[in-house]
Structures are given as C-alpha cells and as structure tokens.
PDB file of all heavy atoms in Angstrom:
ATOM      1  N   GLY A   1      -2.176  -3.712  -3.683  1.00 96.00           N
ATOM      2  CA  GLY A   1      -2.467  -4.436  -2.474  1.00 96.00           C
ATOM      3  C   GLY A   1      -3.593  -3.760  -1.713  1.00 96.00           C
ATOM      4  O   GLY A   1      -4.443  -3.085  -2.314  1.00 96.00           O
ATOM      5  N   TRP A   2      -3.652  -4.004  -0.427  1.00 97.00           N
ATOM      6  CA  TRP A   2      -4.637  -3.324   0.442  1.00 97.00           C
ATOM      7  C   TRP A   2      -4.061  -1.941   0.732  1.00 97.00           C
ATOM      8  O   TRP A   2      -3.388  -1.737   1.727  1.00 97.00           O
ATOM      9  CB  TRP A   2      -4.856  -4.134   1.744  1.00 97.00           C
ATOM     10  CG  TRP A   2      -6.092  -3.725   2.491  1.00 97.00           C
ATOM     11  CD1 TRP A   2      -6.374  -2.492   2.956  1.00 97.00           C
ATOM     12  CD2 TRP A   2      -7.150  -4.578   2.930  1.00 97.00           C
ATOM     13  NE1 TRP A   2      -7.582  -2.459   3.644  1.00 97.00           N
ATOM     14  CE2 TRP A   2      -8.088  -3.747   3.624  1.00 97.00           C
ATOM     15  CE3 TRP A   2      -7.439  -5.908   2.816  1.00 97.00           C
ATOM     16  CZ2 TRP A   2      -9.238  -4.269   4.175  1.00 97.00           C
ATOM     17  CZ3 TRP A   2      -8.591  -6.442   3.339  1.00 97.00           C
ATOM     18  CH2 TRP A   2      -9.488  -5.600   4.053  1.00 97.00           C
ATOM     19  N   SER A   3      -4.391  -1.009  -0.141  1.00 98.00           N
ATOM     20  CA  SER A   3      -3.592   0.222  -0.231  1.00 98.00           C
ATOM     21  C   SER A   3      -4.204   1.360   0.630  1.00 98.00           C
ATOM     22  O   SER A   3      -5.456   1.471   0.681  1.00 98.00           O
ATOM     23  CB  SER A   3      -3.456   0.679  -1.695  1.00 98.00           C
ATOM     24  OG  SER A   3      -2.866  -0.380  -2.461  1.00 98.00           O
ATOM     25  N   TRP A   4      -3.355   2.189   1.153  1.00 98.00           N
ATOM     26  CA  TRP A   4      -3.789   3.279   2.019  1.00 98.00           C
ATOM     27  C   TRP A   4      -3.299   4.589   1.501  1.00 98.00           C
ATOM     28  O   TRP A   4      -3.675   5.057   0.414  1.00 98.00           O
ATOM     29  CB  TRP A   4      -3.335   3.023   3.464  1.00 98.00           C
ATOM     30  CG  TRP A   4      -3.918   1.794   4.094  1.00 98.00           C
ATOM     31  CD1 TRP A   4      -3.441   0.515   3.979  1.00 98.00           C
ATOM     32  CD2 TRP A   4      -5.106   1.715   4.887  1.00 98.00           C
ATOM     33  NE1 TRP A   4      -4.246  -0.353   4.621  1.00 98.00           N
ATOM     34  CE2 TRP A   4      -5.287   0.390   5.221  1.00 98.00           C
ATOM     35  CE3 TRP A   4      -6.013   2.655   5.312  1.00 98.00           C
ATOM     36  CZ2 TRP A   4      -6.326  -0.057   6.042  1.00 98.00           C
ATOM     37  CZ3 TRP A   4      -7.052   2.222   6.150  1.00 98.00           C
ATOM     38  CH2 TRP A   4      -7.253   0.871   6.488  1.00 98.00           C
ATOM     39  N   ASP A   5      -2.367   5.236   2.202  1.00 98.00           N
ATOM     40  CA  ASP A   5      -1.875   6.544   1.830  1.00 98.00           C
ATOM     41  C   ASP A   5      -1.064   6.434   0.541  1.00 98.00           C
ATOM     42  O   ASP A   5      -0.474   5.395   0.214  1.00 98.00           O
ATOM     43  CB  ASP A   5      -0.961   7.086   2.963  1.00 98.00           C
ATOM     44  CG  ASP A   5      -0.859   8.600   2.937  1.00 98.00           C
ATOM     45  OD1 ASP A   5      -1.721   9.260   2.398  1.00 98.00           O
ATOM     46  OD2 ASP A   5       0.142   9.077   3.512  1.00 98.00           O
ATOM     47  N   ASN A   6      -1.006   7.539  -0.239  1.00 98.00           N
ATOM     48  CA  ASN A   6      -0.097   7.617  -1.356  1.00 98.00           C
ATOM     49  C   ASN A   6       0.456   9.063  -1.464  1.00 98.00           C
ATOM     50  O   ASN A   6      -0.215   9.998  -1.092  1.00 98.00           O
ATOM     51  CB  ASN A   6      -0.737   7.152  -2.641  1.00 98.00           C
ATOM     52  CG  ASN A   6      -1.774   8.143  -3.202  1.00 98.00           C
ATOM     53  OD1 ASN A   6      -1.373   9.169  -3.790  1.00 98.00           O
ATOM     54  ND2 ASN A   6      -3.033   7.831  -3.076  1.00 98.00           N
ATOM     55  N   LYS A   7       1.637   9.200  -2.005  1.00 98.00           N
ATOM     56  CA  LYS A   7       2.226  10.458  -2.270  1.00 98.00           C
ATOM     57  C   LYS A   7       2.848  10.524  -3.656  1.00 98.00           C
ATOM     58  O   LYS A   7       3.575   9.565  -3.995  1.00 98.00           O
ATOM     59  CB  LYS A   7       3.276  10.824  -1.200  1.00 98.00           C
ATOM     60  CG  LYS A   7       2.743  11.133   0.177  1.00 98.00           C
ATOM     61  CD  LYS A   7       1.886  12.408   0.218  1.00 98.00           C
ATOM     62  CE  LYS A   7       1.328  12.657   1.580  1.00 98.00           C
ATOM     63  NZ  LYS A   7       0.258  11.673   1.915  1.00 98.00           N
ATOM     64  N   LEU A   8       2.544  11.529  -4.410  1.00 98.00           N
ATOM     65  CA  LEU A   8       3.186  11.789  -5.692  1.00 98.00           C
ATOM     66  C   LEU A   8       4.327  12.713  -5.464  1.00 98.00           C
ATOM     67  O   LEU A   8       4.179  13.836  -5.028  1.00 98.00           O
ATOM     68  CB  LEU A   8       2.194  12.428  -6.672  1.00 98.00           C
ATOM     69  CG  LEU A   8       0.873  11.640  -6.908  1.00 98.00           C
ATOM     70  CD1 LEU A   8       0.040  12.393  -7.955  1.00 98.00           C
ATOM     71  CD2 LEU A   8       1.106  10.277  -7.303  1.00 98.00           C
ATOM     72  N   ALA A   9       5.568  12.259  -5.766  1.00 98.00           N
ATOM     73  CA  ALA A   9       6.764  13.007  -5.488  1.00 98.00           C
ATOM     74  C   ALA A   9       7.911  12.531  -6.385  1.00 98.00           C
ATOM     75  O   ALA A   9       7.915  11.347  -6.773  1.00 98.00           O
ATOM     76  CB  ALA A   9       7.195  12.900  -4.015  1.00 98.00           C
ATOM     77  N   ASP A  10       8.840  13.405  -6.667  1.00 98.00           N
ATOM     78  CA  ASP A  10       9.988  13.034  -7.522  1.00 98.00           C
ATOM     79  C   ASP A  10      11.161  12.776  -6.624  1.00 98.00           C
ATOM     80  O   ASP A  10      11.853  13.689  -6.108  1.00 98.00           O
ATOM     81  CB  ASP A  10      10.296  14.190  -8.503  1.00 98.00           C
ATOM     82  CG  ASP A  10      11.342  13.871  -9.510  1.00 98.00           C
ATOM     83  OD1 ASP A  10      12.059  12.860  -9.309  1.00 98.00           O
ATOM     84  OD2 ASP A  10      11.486  14.618 -10.472  1.00 98.00           O
ATOM     85  N   PHE A  11      11.460  11.500  -6.349  1.00 98.00           N
ATOM     86  CA  PHE A  11      12.507  11.121  -5.381  1.00 98.00           C
ATOM     87  C   PHE A  11      13.906  11.126  -5.951  1.00 98.00           C
ATOM     88  O   PHE A  11      14.867  10.946  -5.243  1.00 98.00           O
ATOM     89  CB  PHE A  11      12.184   9.789  -4.759  1.00 98.00           C
ATOM     90  CG  PHE A  11      10.946   9.828  -3.866  1.00 98.00           C
ATOM     91  CD1 PHE A  11       9.776   9.252  -4.237  1.00 98.00           C
ATOM     92  CD2 PHE A  11      11.027  10.434  -2.623  1.00 98.00           C
ATOM     93  CE1 PHE A  11       8.644   9.322  -3.406  1.00 98.00           C
ATOM     94  CE2 PHE A  11       9.920  10.493  -1.768  1.00 98.00           C
ATOM     95  CZ  PHE A  11       8.715   9.929  -2.161  1.00 98.00           C
ATOM     96  N   ALA A  12      14.035  11.254  -7.281  1.00 98.00           N
ATOM     97  CA  ALA A  12      15.380  11.298  -7.887  1.00 98.00           C
ATOM     98  C   ALA A  12      15.593  12.550  -8.703  1.00 98.00           C
ATOM     99  O   ALA A  12      16.573  12.638  -9.423  1.00 98.00           O
ATOM    100  CB  ALA A  12      15.642  10.049  -8.705  1.00 98.00           C
ATOM    101  N   ASN A  13      14.625  13.480  -8.624  1.00 98.00           N
ATOM    102  CA  ASN A  13      14.675  14.706  -9.434  1.00 98.00           C
ATOM    103  C   ASN A  13      14.840  14.424 -10.919  1.00 98.00           C
ATOM    104  O   ASN A  13      15.569  15.138 -11.637  1.00 98.00           O
ATOM    105  CB  ASN A  13      15.844  15.641  -8.956  1.00 98.00           C
ATOM    106  CG  ASN A  13      15.589  16.172  -7.550  1.00 98.00           C
ATOM    107  OD1 ASN A  13      14.451  16.270  -7.104  1.00 98.00           O
ATOM    108  ND2 ASN A  13      16.677  16.543  -6.857  1.00 98.00           N
ATOM    109  N   ARG A  14      14.137  13.394 -11.360  1.00 98.00           N
ATOM    110  CA  ARG A  14      14.209  12.970 -12.775  1.00 98.00           C
ATOM    111  C   ARG A  14      13.308  13.846 -13.645  1.00 98.00           C
ATOM    112  O   ARG A  14      13.323  13.734 -14.865  1.00 98.00           O
ATOM    113  CB  ARG A  14      13.731  11.487 -12.928  1.00 98.00           C
ATOM    114  CG  ARG A  14      14.614  10.490 -12.258  1.00 98.00           C
ATOM    115  CD  ARG A  14      13.999   9.098 -12.233  1.00 98.00           C
ATOM    116  NE  ARG A  14      13.617   8.640 -13.560  1.00 98.00           N
ATOM    117  CZ  ARG A  14      12.409   8.295 -13.930  1.00 98.00           C
ATOM    118  NH1 ARG A  14      11.380   8.390 -13.093  1.00 98.00           N
ATOM    119  NH2 ARG A  14      12.172   7.870 -15.158  1.00 98.00           N
ATOM    120  N   GLY A  15      12.417  14.636 -13.026  1.00 98.00           N
ATOM    121  CA  GLY A  15      11.436  15.368 -13.771  1.00 98.00           C
ATOM    122  C   GLY A  15      10.185  14.604 -13.975  1.00 98.00           C
ATOM    123  O   GLY A  15       9.333  15.024 -14.808  1.00 98.00           O
ATOM    124  N   GLU A  16      10.014  13.477 -13.266  1.00 98.00           N
ATOM    125  CA  GLU A  16       8.821  12.668 -13.360  1.00 98.00           C
ATOM    126  C   GLU A  16       8.402  12.321 -11.916  1.00 98.00           C
ATOM    127  O   GLU A  16       9.217  11.981 -11.072  1.00 98.00           O
ATOM    128  CB  GLU A  16       9.056  11.370 -14.144  1.00 98.00           C
ATOM    129  CG  GLU A  16       9.436  11.577 -15.589  1.00 98.00           C
ATOM    130  CD  GLU A  16       8.290  12.107 -16.423  1.00 98.00           C
ATOM    131  OE1 GLU A  16       7.143  12.102 -15.947  1.00 98.00           O
ATOM    132  OE2 GLU A  16       8.522  12.489 -17.614  1.00 98.00           O
ATOM    133  N   LEU A  17       7.071  12.384 -11.675  1.00 98.00           N
ATOM    134  CA  LEU A  17       6.552  12.058 -10.386  1.00 98.00           C
ATOM    135  C   LEU A  17       6.541  10.522 -10.135  1.00 98.00           C
ATOM    136  O   LEU A  17       6.037   9.786 -11.000  1.00 98.00           O
ATOM    137  CB  LEU A  17       5.149  12.606 -10.186  1.00 98.00           C
ATOM    138  CG  LEU A  17       5.011  14.118 -10.147  1.00 98.00           C
ATOM    139  CD1 LEU A  17       3.544  14.497 -10.094  1.00 98.00           C
ATOM    140  CD2 LEU A  17       5.765  14.669  -8.926  1.00 98.00           C
ATOM    141  N   ASP A  18       7.094  10.118  -9.067  1.00 98.00           N
ATOM    142  CA  ASP A  18       6.969   8.748  -8.581  1.00 98.00           C
ATOM    143  C   ASP A  18       5.695   8.628  -7.684  1.00 98.00           C
ATOM    144  O   ASP A  18       5.155   9.652  -7.242  1.00 98.00           O
ATOM    145  CB  ASP A  18       8.184   8.306  -7.743  1.00 98.00           C
ATOM    146  CG  ASP A  18       9.488   8.607  -8.464  1.00 98.00           C
ATOM    147  OD1 ASP A  18       9.645   8.204  -9.649  1.00 98.00           O
ATOM    148  OD2 ASP A  18      10.408   9.244  -7.871  1.00 98.00           O
ATOM    149  N   ILE A  19       5.199   7.395  -7.473  1.00 98.00           N
ATOM    150  CA  ILE A  19       4.019   7.190  -6.657  1.00 98.00           C
ATOM    151  C   ILE A  19       4.353   6.243  -5.584  1.00 98.00           C
ATOM    152  O   ILE A  19       4.547   5.020  -5.848  1.00 98.00           O
ATOM    153  CB  ILE A  19       2.886   6.694  -7.558  1.00 98.00           C
ATOM    154  CG1 ILE A  19       2.631   7.597  -8.781  1.00 98.00           C
ATOM    155  CG2 ILE A  19       1.592   6.562  -6.693  1.00 98.00           C
ATOM    156  CD1 ILE A  19       1.629   7.035  -9.749  1.00 98.00           C
ATOM    157  N   ALA A  20       4.419   6.698  -4.334  1.00 98.00           N
ATOM    158  CA  ALA A  20       4.656   5.842  -3.184  1.00 98.00           C
ATOM    159  C   ALA A  20       3.314   5.499  -2.568  1.00 98.00           C
ATOM    160  O   ALA A  20       2.460   6.379  -2.394  1.00 98.00           O
ATOM    161  CB  ALA A  20       5.532   6.560  -2.169  1.00 98.00           C
ATOM    162  N   VAL A  21       3.086   4.222  -2.267  1.00 98.00           N
ATOM    163  CA  VAL A  21       1.822   3.749  -1.762  1.00 98.00           C
ATOM    164  C   VAL A  21       2.081   2.821  -0.573  1.00 98.00           C
ATOM    165  O   VAL A  21       2.864   1.863  -0.635  1.00 98.00           O
ATOM    166  CB  VAL A  21       1.065   2.941  -2.877  1.00 98.00           C
ATOM    167  CG1 VAL A  21      -0.324   2.529  -2.334  1.00 98.00           C
ATOM    168  CG2 VAL A  21       0.937   3.753  -4.143  1.00 98.00           C
ATOM    169  N   THR A  22       1.335   3.085   0.549  1.00 98.00           N
ATOM    170  CA  THR A  22       1.406   2.158   1.697  1.00 98.00           C
ATOM    171  C   THR A  22       0.400   1.040   1.528  1.00 98.00           C
ATOM    172  O   THR A  22      -0.654   1.179   0.876  1.00 98.00           O
ATOM    173  CB  THR A  22       1.116   2.892   3.015  1.00 98.00           C
ATOM    174  OG1 THR A  22      -0.126   3.538   2.919  1.00 98.00           O
ATOM    175  CG2 THR A  22       2.213   3.922   3.262  1.00 98.00           C
ATOM    176  N   ASN A  23       0.664  -0.103   2.148  1.00 98.00           N
ATOM    177  CA  ASN A  23      -0.160  -1.307   1.920  1.00 98.00           C
ATOM    178  C   ASN A  23      -0.252  -2.160   3.198  1.00 98.00           C
ATOM    179  O   ASN A  23       0.644  -2.093   4.041  1.00 98.00           O
ATOM    180  CB  ASN A  23       0.393  -2.161   0.777  1.00 98.00           C
ATOM    181  CG  ASN A  23       0.293  -1.467  -0.562  1.00 98.00           C
ATOM    182  OD1 ASN A  23      -0.790  -1.275  -1.104  1.00 98.00           O
ATOM    183  ND2 ASN A  23       1.452  -1.047  -1.132  1.00 98.00           N
ATOM    184  N   GLY A  24      -1.214  -3.094   3.207  1.00 97.00           N
ATOM    185  CA  GLY A  24      -1.333  -4.108   4.284  1.00 97.00           C
ATOM    186  C   GLY A  24      -2.476  -3.745   5.207  1.00 97.00           C
ATOM    187  O   GLY A  24      -2.793  -2.585   5.472  1.00 97.00           O
ATOM    188  N   PHE A  25      -3.092  -4.804   5.791  1.00 97.00           N
ATOM    189  CA  PHE A  25      -4.213  -4.587   6.697  1.00 97.00           C
ATOM    190  C   PHE A  25      -3.899  -5.053   8.110  1.00 97.00           C
ATOM    191  O   PHE A  25      -3.377  -4.262   8.889  1.00 97.00           O
ATOM    192  CB  PHE A  25      -5.431  -5.297   6.123  1.00 97.00           C
ATOM    193  CG  PHE A  25      -6.731  -4.940   6.854  1.00 97.00           C
ATOM    194  CD1 PHE A  25      -7.064  -3.599   7.116  1.00 97.00           C
ATOM    195  CD2 PHE A  25      -7.622  -5.951   7.233  1.00 97.00           C
ATOM    196  CE1 PHE A  25      -8.267  -3.282   7.753  1.00 97.00           C
ATOM    197  CE2 PHE A  25      -8.786  -5.648   7.872  1.00 97.00           C
ATOM    198  CZ  PHE A  25      -9.114  -4.326   8.140  1.00 97.00           C
ATOM    199  N   ILE A  26      -4.154  -6.260   8.451  1.00 96.00           N
ATOM    200  CA  ILE A  26      -3.868  -6.740   9.795  1.00 96.00           C
ATOM    201  C   ILE A  26      -2.947  -7.959   9.687  1.00 96.00           C
ATOM    202  O   ILE A  26      -3.121  -8.823   8.820  1.00 96.00           O
ATOM    203  CB  ILE A  26      -5.131  -7.102  10.627  1.00 96.00           C
ATOM    204  CG1 ILE A  26      -5.971  -8.098   9.906  1.00 96.00           C
ATOM    205  CG2 ILE A  26      -5.866  -5.836  10.926  1.00 96.00           C
ATOM    206  CD1 ILE A  26      -7.234  -8.506  10.732  1.00 96.00           C
ATOM    207  N   ARG A  27      -1.914  -8.007  10.559  1.00 96.00           N
ATOM    208  CA  ARG A  27      -0.896  -9.043  10.461  1.00 96.00           C
ATOM    209  C   ARG A  27      -1.087 -10.096  11.549  1.00 96.00           C
ATOM    210  O   ARG A  27      -1.234  -9.739  12.716  1.00 96.00           O
ATOM    211  CB  ARG A  27       0.486  -8.418  10.559  1.00 96.00           C
ATOM    212  CG  ARG A  27       1.631  -9.341  10.157  1.00 96.00           C
ATOM    213  CD  ARG A  27       2.941  -8.616  10.272  1.00 96.00           C
ATOM    214  NE  ARG A  27       4.043  -9.406   9.777  1.00 96.00           N
ATOM    215  CZ  ARG A  27       5.306  -9.122   9.980  1.00 96.00           C
ATOM    216  NH1 ARG A  27       5.635  -8.030  10.641  1.00 96.00           N
ATOM    217  NH2 ARG A  27       6.281  -9.907   9.486  1.00 96.00           N
ATOM    218  N   GLY A  28      -1.016 -11.373  11.155  1.00 95.00           N
ATOM    219  CA  GLY A  28      -1.120 -12.435  12.120  1.00 95.00           C
ATOM    220  C   GLY A  28      -0.683 -13.733  11.433  1.00 95.00           C
ATOM    221  O   GLY A  28      -0.026 -13.754  10.427  1.00 95.00           O
ATOM    222  N   SER A  29      -1.206 -14.891  11.951  1.00 95.00           N
ATOM    223  CA  SER A  29      -0.781 -16.175  11.405  1.00 95.00           C
ATOM    224  C   SER A  29      -1.912 -16.972  10.842  1.00 95.00           C
ATOM    225  O   SER A  29      -1.748 -17.983  10.162  1.00 95.00           O
ATOM    226  CB  SER A  29      -0.143 -16.998  12.523  1.00 95.00           C
ATOM    227  OG  SER A  29      -1.011 -17.135  13.672  1.00 95.00           O
ATOM    228  N   THR A  30      -3.206 -16.571  11.134  1.00 95.00           N
ATOM    229  CA  THR A  30      -4.363 -17.245  10.623  1.00 95.00           C
ATOM    230  C   THR A  30      -4.992 -16.491   9.466  1.00 95.00           C
ATOM    231  O   THR A  30      -5.452 -15.371   9.684  1.00 95.00           O
ATOM    232  CB  THR A  30      -5.410 -17.482  11.757  1.00 95.00           C
ATOM    233  OG1 THR A  30      -4.826 -18.194  12.859  1.00 95.00           O
ATOM    234  CG2 THR A  30      -6.597 -18.287  11.242  1.00 95.00           C
ATOM    235  N   ASN A  31      -5.010 -17.114   8.333  1.00 93.00           N
ATOM    236  CA  ASN A  31      -5.551 -16.434   7.116  1.00 93.00           C
ATOM    237  C   ASN A  31      -7.087 -16.300   7.231  1.00 93.00           C
ATOM    238  O   ASN A  31      -7.761 -17.252   7.269  1.00 93.00           O
ATOM    239  CB  ASN A  31      -5.136 -17.265   5.904  1.00 93.00           C
ATOM    240  CG  ASN A  31      -5.527 -16.582   4.594  1.00 93.00           C
ATOM    241  OD1 ASN A  31      -6.113 -15.485   4.567  1.00 93.00           O
ATOM    242  ND2 ASN A  31      -5.246 -17.234   3.464  1.00 93.00           N
ATOM    243  N   ARG A  32      -7.549 -15.086   7.124  1.00 92.00           N
ATOM    244  CA  ARG A  32      -8.989 -14.825   7.210  1.00 92.00           C
ATOM    245  C   ARG A  32      -9.561 -14.330   5.921  1.00 92.00           C
ATOM    246  O   ARG A  32     -10.665 -13.810   5.882  1.00 92.00           O
ATOM    247  CB  ARG A  32      -9.267 -13.809   8.322  1.00 92.00           C
ATOM    248  CG  ARG A  32      -9.041 -14.299   9.720  1.00 92.00           C
ATOM    249  CD  ARG A  32      -9.930 -15.481  10.048  1.00 92.00           C
ATOM    250  NE  ARG A  32      -9.761 -15.929  11.463  1.00 92.00           N
ATOM    251  CZ  ARG A  32     -10.283 -17.043  11.928  1.00 92.00           C
ATOM    252  NH1 ARG A  32     -11.021 -17.789  11.105  1.00 92.00           N
ATOM    253  NH2 ARG A  32     -10.136 -17.348  13.203  1.00 92.00           N
ATOM    254  N   TRP A  33      -8.805 -14.490   4.834  1.00 91.00           N
ATOM    255  CA  TRP A  33      -9.324 -14.066   3.526  1.00 91.00           C
ATOM    256  C   TRP A  33     -10.645 -14.815   3.142  1.00 91.00           C
ATOM    257  O   TRP A  33     -11.555 -14.208   2.613  1.00 91.00           O
ATOM    258  CB  TRP A  33      -8.307 -14.273   2.411  1.00 91.00           C
ATOM    259  CG  TRP A  33      -7.468 -13.036   2.171  1.00 91.00           C
ATOM    260  CD1 TRP A  33      -6.172 -12.822   2.394  1.00 91.00           C
ATOM    261  CD2 TRP A  33      -7.959 -11.798   1.636  1.00 91.00           C
ATOM    262  NE1 TRP A  33      -5.781 -11.552   2.093  1.00 91.00           N
ATOM    263  CE2 TRP A  33      -6.855 -10.896   1.554  1.00 91.00           C
ATOM    264  CE3 TRP A  33      -9.174 -11.335   1.151  1.00 91.00           C
ATOM    265  CZ2 TRP A  33      -6.942  -9.607   1.058  1.00 91.00           C
ATOM    266  CZ3 TRP A  33      -9.291 -10.034   0.646  1.00 91.00           C
ATOM    267  CH2 TRP A  33      -8.191  -9.224   0.634  1.00 91.00           C
ATOM    268  N   PRO A  34     -10.734 -16.110   3.377  1.00 89.00           N
ATOM    269  CA  PRO A  34     -12.028 -16.784   2.993  1.00 89.00           C
ATOM    270  C   PRO A  34     -13.244 -16.118   3.662  1.00 89.00           C
ATOM    271  O   PRO A  34     -14.257 -15.929   3.012  1.00 89.00           O
ATOM    272  CB  PRO A  34     -11.816 -18.215   3.451  1.00 89.00           C
ATOM    273  CG  PRO A  34     -10.323 -18.431   3.403  1.00 89.00           C
ATOM    274  CD  PRO A  34      -9.761 -17.105   3.881  1.00 89.00           C
ATOM    275  N   GLN A  35     -13.130 -15.788   4.937  1.00 88.00           N
ATOM    276  CA  GLN A  35     -14.239 -15.188   5.658  1.00 88.00           C
ATOM    277  C   GLN A  35     -14.549 -13.763   5.074  1.00 88.00           C
ATOM    278  O   GLN A  35     -15.665 -13.386   4.973  1.00 88.00           O
ATOM    279  CB  GLN A  35     -13.977 -15.142   7.161  1.00 88.00           C
ATOM    280  CG  GLN A  35     -13.996 -16.486   7.821  1.00 88.00           C
ATOM    281  CD  GLN A  35     -12.713 -17.295   7.687  1.00 88.00           C
ATOM    282  OE1 GLN A  35     -11.737 -16.807   7.096  1.00 88.00           O
ATOM    283  NE2 GLN A  35     -12.707 -18.508   8.219  1.00 88.00           N
ATOM    284  N   LEU A  36     -13.440 -13.066   4.770  1.00 87.00           N
ATOM    285  CA  LEU A  36     -13.636 -11.723   4.229  1.00 87.00           C
ATOM    286  C   LEU A  36     -14.335 -11.780   2.903  1.00 87.00           C
ATOM    287  O   LEU A  36     -15.213 -10.962   2.582  1.00 87.00           O
ATOM    288  CB  LEU A  36     -12.301 -10.997   4.111  1.00 87.00           C
ATOM    289  CG  LEU A  36     -12.380  -9.588   3.516  1.00 87.00           C
ATOM    290  CD1 LEU A  36     -13.209  -8.667   4.416  1.00 87.00           C
ATOM    291  CD2 LEU A  36     -10.981  -9.012   3.387  1.00 87.00           C
TER     292      LEU A  36
END
C-alpha cells in the first residue's frame, strides 16, 4: 500500500522475522487518485 514505517521483529518467537508495515495516506470521502 502507501507504506511508511516498518519493523522486522519475531512476534511469536518462531525463529523467523516478521515484517510489520504501516500504510495509508489521507482519509476522506472524495477519491483524489485520478488527480494524483
């Protein structure tokens, strides 16, 4: 998505790093993707 911060961390102690990623830009009701 429109991705921002990420952290590599093992959230279940499985011995493998998970990747958490934040997403999203501006929230409203009028879609401005065509203009972007």
Side-chain angles (χ1 to χ4, degrees):
W2 194 304
S3 304
W4 298 85
D5 203 22
N6 74 75
K7 290 292 178 290
L8 305 182
D10 188 345
F11 290 107
N13 293 337
R14 296 169 55 238
E16 297 291 349
L17 292 175
D18 309 309
I19 306 172
V21 185
T22 56
N23 293 291
F25 189 48
I26 55 177
R27 191 179 186 191
S29 56
T30 303
N31 184 0
R32 291 298 185 190
W33 266 113
Q35 289 81 3
L36 180 60

